[in-house]
């Protein structure tokens, strides 16, 4: 095979100098500069309305990051010291950090073969202190929410009803049985980080909810608790989505479906070529879920050797995430240790993220997959 480059990062392809998208964004920013409405300008409201429509919810609130979006949800629901929140140890560190930030305790459960919260383990983790369950739609693959929502009604000995909060940071446009993530629980949190399927030019986030009361509270909490410029209704900080980020998001939003569809098609090619490759494990796929592939994650034998082999042949890969959260310093100090979540720990040693973005050509995907087959001693595919 002739050597080619297969980059993991695609931002230079998304915003090339002189490109139509970049020109349109810069033109809108120029208009913003003329108006001077840099703080909660009308573009923020427009972006929120379109995001809410995308997710099939009544309300979306723009926040300055996905992390702060999650923190505001927890605080708005009254979750704090003495409370427990059930989540998973294989997410990005921000998920558990948000729980600690509000003073609550993360309670981890192990994951399943799709790298998602093992719903069968949640019930045993519930205690009288459980205030919320926080599933993570990792890689753009939704946790099967119908089962989790059903579990909420059957919490065993304890007569409690934990809030279900969706960490959908990686899963914009994903759905289960055509119902979008971010619309199942009491609230959903999204990230608009530059490498997400819907991205802005820096950090940004969204809260989604069907609760008017919760939406109103979070709108206050993101803006110093101000009901007007001079009237403060509550103690709060500054977590506003910058208007300039809403300008960027509005230009990118019409392409969300196209971006997801492209990634889904790319994943299907990888699946077909790698499915019978010894040394490679592809997670199960559910026809009931729209998996939008923020990342394409497989498990592999001899990972370090494969990463080096691919890099030598021009293919850039990543690992999301090599160190489980419960083995990071703050959580070891909480009493977690190696062996607590064996499936998560085993996966962390073998997971590998391949390039999956919408700017890849079929030739680049075939090239990457064929290299992997070659590494494991398989004959060329087709």
């Amino acid at each position: 095979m002739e050597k080619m480059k297969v980059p993991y990062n695609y931002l230079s392809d998304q915003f090339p100098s002189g490109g139509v998208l970049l020109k349109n964004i810069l033109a809108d920013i120029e208009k913003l500069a003329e108006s001077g409405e840099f703080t909660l300008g009308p573009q923020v409201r427009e972006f929120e309305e379109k995001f809410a429509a995308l997710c099939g919810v009544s309300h979306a609130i723009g926040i300055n990051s996905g992390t702060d979006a999650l923190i505001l949800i927890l605080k708005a629901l009254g979750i704090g010291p003495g409370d427990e929140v059930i989540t998973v140890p294989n997410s990005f560190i921000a998920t558990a950090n948000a729980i600690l930030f509000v003073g609550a305790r993360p309670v981890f459960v192990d994951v399943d073969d799709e790298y998602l919260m093992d719903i069968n383990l949640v019930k045993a983790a519930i205690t009288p202190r459980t205030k919320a369950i926080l599933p993570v739609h990792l890689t753009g693959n939704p946790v099967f929410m119908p089962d989790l929502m059903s579990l909420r009604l059957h919490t065993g000995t304890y007569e409690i009803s934990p809030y279900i909060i969706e960490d959908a940071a990686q899963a914009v446009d994903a759905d289960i049985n055509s119902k979008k993530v971010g619309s199942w629980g009491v609230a959903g949190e999204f990230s608009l980080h530059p490498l997400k399927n819907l991205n802005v030019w820096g950090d940004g986030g969204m809260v989604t909810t069907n609760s008017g009361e919760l939406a109103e509270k979070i709108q206050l909490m993101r803006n110093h608790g101000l009901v007007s410029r001079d009237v403060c209704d509550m103690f709060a900080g500054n977590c506003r989505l910058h208007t300039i980020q809403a300008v960027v998001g509005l230009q990118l939003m019409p392409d969300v479906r196209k971006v997801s569809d492209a990634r889904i098609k790319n994943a299907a090619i990888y699946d077909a070529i790698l499915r019978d490759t010894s040394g490679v494990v592809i997670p199960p796929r559910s026809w009931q879920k729209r998996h939008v592939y923020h990342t394409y994650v497989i498990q592999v034998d001899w990972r370090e050797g494969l990463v080096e082999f691919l890099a030598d042949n021009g293919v850039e890969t990543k690992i999301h995430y090599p160190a489980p959260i419960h083995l990071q310093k703050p959580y070891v100090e909480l009493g977690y240790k190696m062996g607590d979540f064996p499936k998560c720990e085993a996966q962390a040693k073998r997971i590998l993220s391949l390039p999956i973005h919408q700017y890849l050509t079929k030739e680049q995907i075939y090239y990457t997959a064929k290299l992997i087959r070659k590494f494991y001693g398989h004959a060329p595919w087709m």
Side-chain angles (χ1 to χ4, degrees), residues 16 45 59 65 68 74 79 106 149 160 171 210-211 251-252 268 303 307 320 342 357 368 375:
R45 182 66 251 163
H59 308 278
S65 72
D68 278 342
L74 294 167
I79 297 172
M149 301 301 290
I160 59 175
N210 283 311
S211 168
Q251 281 289 341
L252 296 178
R303 181 174 66 187
V307 169
H320 301 97
H357 60 80
T368 302
F375 179 82

Side-chain angles (χ1 to χ4, degrees), residues 126 130-133 152-153 155 158-164:
I126 292 177
T130 303
K131 196 71 174 285
I133 301 170
R152 183 185 181 190
L153 304 177
T155 54
Y158 310 107
E159 296 200 3
I160 59 175
S161 183
Y163 295 115
I164 294 183

Side-chain angles (χ1 to χ4, degrees), residues 315-334:
V315 178
E316 186 181 8
T317 59
K318 303 289 183 183
I319 301 173
H320 301 97
Y321 303 96
I325 298 174
H326 69 286
L327 300 181
Q328 304 276 3
K329 180 181 176 182
Y331 302 91
V332 172
E333 291 174 353
L334 286 179

Side-chain angles (χ1 to χ4, degrees), residues 2-8 310-311 313-316 355 357 360-361 363-365 367-368:
E2 185 178 348
K3 187 174 179 179
M4 69 172 68
K5 288 187 177 181
V6 186
Y8 194 89
L310 291 174
N313 284 278
V315 178
E316 186 181 8
H357 60 80
L360 293 172
T361 65
E363 289 75 20
Q364 288 174 310
I365 299 169
Y367 174 74
T368 302

Side-chain angles (χ1 to χ4, degrees), residues 31-204:
K31 293 176 184 176
L32 173 62
E34 291 171 356
S35 73
E37 296 186 277
F38 300 116
T39 303
L40 293 181
Q43 294 89 343
V44 174
R45 182 66 251 163
E46 182 183 357
F47 189 34
E48 290 172 336
E49 290 172 353
K50 290 184 176 180
F51 199 95
L54 173 68
C55 296
V57 295
S58 302
H59 308 278
I61 305 99
I63 309 297
N64 64 333
S65 72
T67 304
D68 278 342
L70 189 52
I71 289 169
L72 290 188
I73 293 170
L74 294 167
K75 291 176 71 70
L77 293 172
I79 297 172
D83 297 328
E84 295 176 349
V85 178
I86 298 171
T87 191
V88 288
N90 69 334
S91 178
F92 180 53
I93 193 73
T95 304
N97 277 357
I99 299 168
L100 279 183
F101 190 85
V102 301
R105 180 184 176 90
V107 174
F108 298 118
V109 296
D110 213 344
V111 296
D112 60 19
D113 292 336
E114 296 183 68
Y115 318 130
L116 303 175
M117 176 180 280
D118 189 333
I119 296 173
N120 295 319
L121 301 177
V122 172
K123 192 172 182 178
I126 292 177
T127 76
R129 294 179 298 279
T130 303
K131 196 71 174 285
I133 301 170
L134 180 51
V136 179
H137 303 311
L138 200 68
T139 79
N141 186 20
V143 174
F144 196 69
M145 295 301 293
D147 287 350
L148 188 58
M149 301 301 290
S150 175
L151 181 69
R152 183 185 181 190
L153 304 177
H154 305 283
T155 54
T157 306
Y158 310 107
E159 296 200 3
I160 59 175
S161 183
Y163 295 115
I164 294 183
I165 303 165
E166 297 174 73
D167 184 338
Q170 300 184 2
V172 65
D173 194 40
D175 66 47
I176 307 111
N177 294 328
S178 298
K179 181 176 171 62
K180 295 289 187 181
V181 301
S183 69
W184 290 85
V186 65
E189 166 266 324
F190 291 83
S191 169
L192 303 172
H193 181 274
L195 289 181
K196 294 299 193 294
N197 291 27
L198 173 58
N199 55 333
V200 296
W201 285 0
D203 282 315

